[in-house]
Amino acid sequence: MAPPGAPQNLTASAYAAGINAISLTWTGVTGAIGYNIYRSNAPFNKSDAFLYKLNVQPTVLNANTNTLGFDDFAVQSNQPYYYLVVAIFPSSAITTV
């Protein structure tokens, strides 16, 4: 059996002028029941990369806007951030982007 697909088209953009926040959006995966979002201060292939889980509960599709996204308000200006989105499936299989 092939592994499930990974979230696609992850984009990060400024939340709004004057607000230190990053808005993430991505394309969902068929069959996923939610997504976990992680942030790092270094690229994930670096030995000093530390993954910090941002959401307490899995992020799900917003039924009002039919979008997938997460707003990260715990950021500072002029700092690089790296994000990882992990799809969660009922069978506990996970995929990442």
Side-chain angles (χ1 to χ4, degrees):
M1 180 179 198
Q8 299 291 313
N9 305 314
L10 177 63
T11 60
S13 57
Y15 181 78
I19 299 175
N20 284 344
I22 297 173
S23 197
L24 304 172
T25 59
W26 62 90
T27 303
V29 179
T30 301
I33 59 171
Y35 301 85
N36 283 328
I37 298 93
Y38 298 85
R39 179 183 67 216
S40 176
N41 62 341
F44 299 115
N45 62 347
K46 301 286 186 178
S47 62
D48 62 344
F50 173 79
L51 291 177
Y52 176 75
K53 186 177 176 192
L54 297 176
N55 55 326
V56 175
Q57 297 292 323
T59 299
V60 296
L61 180 70
N62 182 328
N64 294 327
T65 62
N66 201 33
T67 59
L68 288 163
F70 183 85
D71 296 324
D72 184 3
F73 288 96
V75 296
Q76 297 178 8
S77 296
N78 302 314
Q79 297 292 320
Y81 294 102
Y82 303 85
Y83 291 91
L84 176 70
V85 176
V86 178
I88 303 167
F89 295 89
S91 65
S92 75
I94 60 172
T95 61
T96 63
V97 63

